[in-house]
Every structure is written in C-alpha cells, then in structure tokens.
Amino acid sequence: MNRPRTIVSFILALTLAAVALAAELKPAELRKLTQQERSQDGFKGDSVGTPVKVVGVGEKKKDFWLIPVFQGDKLAAVYRDDPRRESVTEVAKATALRFCRADLFEASSAAQELTRAGVENPQPVLISCGPLSAFGATNTGWYQRVGESFVLLSLGGKLISESEVEQFWPEYLPVLRAFRP
C-alpha cells in the first residue's frame, strides 16, 4: 500500500536531482571556479578571461561555456563548464592552443575578422558540432550565415566556406546547413 507512494517519491527525487544537475553555472561563478582550479594546479598570476557561450549543433545539441585563461597576452589554457561536478574541466593546454588567437574568444573580434573577409553585418555564433579538425583543440568555431550559405571561422582565424566543408568534412554539412542561429 505504501509502494505507490514510495515510487512517486523516488520519481520526484530523481526529477529534482536532474533539475539540480541541469542548473547552469553563471559566468562569474565559472571565472571563480577556473581561477581556483588554476591556483590548485600551481599556476599563479593567470588571468581568467570572460566565459563565452558555445551553442551545441547536431545530435547532442548541448550548449556549454568556454573559459579562456591567459598568461600575459598568450592563451595558457581553455576550460569548459562541467555541470555534473558543478565545476570546470580543462579542454586544452597552451601547446594545443598555439594556433588559436586569443582575441577570437570574443564575438566582436570574430565579427571584425568576418567583416575583413567581406561579410556584411556579421553576427557570428560560437558553435560546436563535434570533433571538426578545422576547429582545433577546442572543437569550437564561429558560424555565420551568408545568404542561403554559411562560413565558419576557426579560433585560429581560418575562414572555411561551405564548399570546403562539403569537400573535407561532408558528414557535418547537413547539420551546418540546417542550423539557424
């Protein structure tokens, strides 16, 4: 007789736990957690950059945050949020980031780069669609619609056209064509 009540209580507890896990950390909390993580690893004097939202595209469609860390004007590491641990996890170290440009972790810099490439009124969206080699160690890059087509901008500053995606990464083409920011 108490069995239905127990089952309902169990389902409610699972639902509440899932909601708690899904709670998103705020950018200020992410910066603080990243700084703590770097300090624990013995890195002093690092500057934690502004967290940037990444839109998950494709099957997983899981959005996340990237947090760049600088030593002087160079990228030292990149972290991402880890909601399960309510913490951050290192994605890449300085050696893997040597081809990334620190300024391209900001939408305004990506927009300037796209403008220089001839895109009018760019409004780039930072995306991740899986392990796309052109995006490098972070597996993220800027997406920009251009008419019925699109271009991608890697965090290293390389502009990638839709035809290049079709030629080198055809498995990502349907997902990227269908994406509408």
Side-chain angles (χ1 to χ4, degrees), residues 130-147:
L132 182 64
S133 61
F135 283 169
T138 61
N139 288 323
T140 58
W142 295 97
Y143 177 95
Q144 175 65 51
R145 293 289 306 161
V146 180

Side-chain angles (χ1 to χ4, degrees), residues 16 60 64-65 86 91 119 166 169 172:
L16 290 173
K60 294 186 179 180
F64 60 93
W65 291 89
E86 291 187 14
V91 174
V119 177
E166 185 173 26
W169 305 280
Y172 293 104

Side-chain angles (χ1 to χ4, degrees), residues 158-174:
K158 180 174 175 14
L159 199 63
I160 304 156
S161 68
E162 181 176 352
S163 61
E164 288 176 296
V165 171
E166 185 173 26
Q167 181 179 0
F168 298 111
W169 305 280
E171 65 274 18
Y172 293 104
L173 192 60

Side-chain angles (χ1 to χ4, degrees), residues 64-124:
F64 60 93
W65 291 89
L66 277 186
I67 308 103
V69 177
F70 305 95
Q71 286 178 340
D73 61 346
K74 298 201 184 297
L75 277 168
V78 174
Y79 286 77
R80 71 172 280 173
D81 64 324
D82 189 347
R84 283 189 221 143
R85 293 187 319 135
E86 291 187 14
S87 186
V88 294
T89 302
E90 189 174 47
V91 174
K93 296 181 185 295
T95 53
L97 297 167
R98 67 182 180 270
F99 297 113
C100 289
R101 289 180 25 198
D103 64 321
L104 288 179
F105 279 84
E106 295 181 13
S108 60
S109 294
Q112 288 175 346
E113 192 71 24
L114 289 166
T115 299
R116 277 193 284 271
V119 177
E120 293 183 23
N121 301 319
Q123 296 181 326

Side-chain angles (χ1 to χ4, degrees), residues 20-96:
L21 281 176
E24 190 173 285
L25 295 169
K26 293 177 176 44
E29 294 168 328
L30 291 169
R31 289 186 76 187
K32 183 179 175 186
L33 289 169
T34 303
Q35 189 66 52
Q36 288 172 350
E37 188 83 17
R38 294 295 287 177
S39 295
Q40 288 173 357
D41 291 343
F43 296 100
K44 305 288 185 214
D46 287 351
S47 172
V48 177
T50 303
V52 60
K53 187 73 165 182
V54 179
V55 177
V57 177
E59 288 181 21
K60 294 186 179 180
K61 294 184 182 177
K62 183 167 176 19
D63 297 353
F64 60 93
W65 291 89
L66 277 186
I67 308 103
V69 177
F70 305 95
Q71 286 178 340
D73 61 346
K74 298 201 184 297
L75 277 168
V78 174
Y79 286 77
R80 71 172 280 173
D81 64 324
D82 189 347
R84 283 189 221 143
R85 293 187 319 135
E86 291 187 14
S87 186
V88 294
T89 302
E90 189 174 47
V91 174
K93 296 181 185 295
T95 53

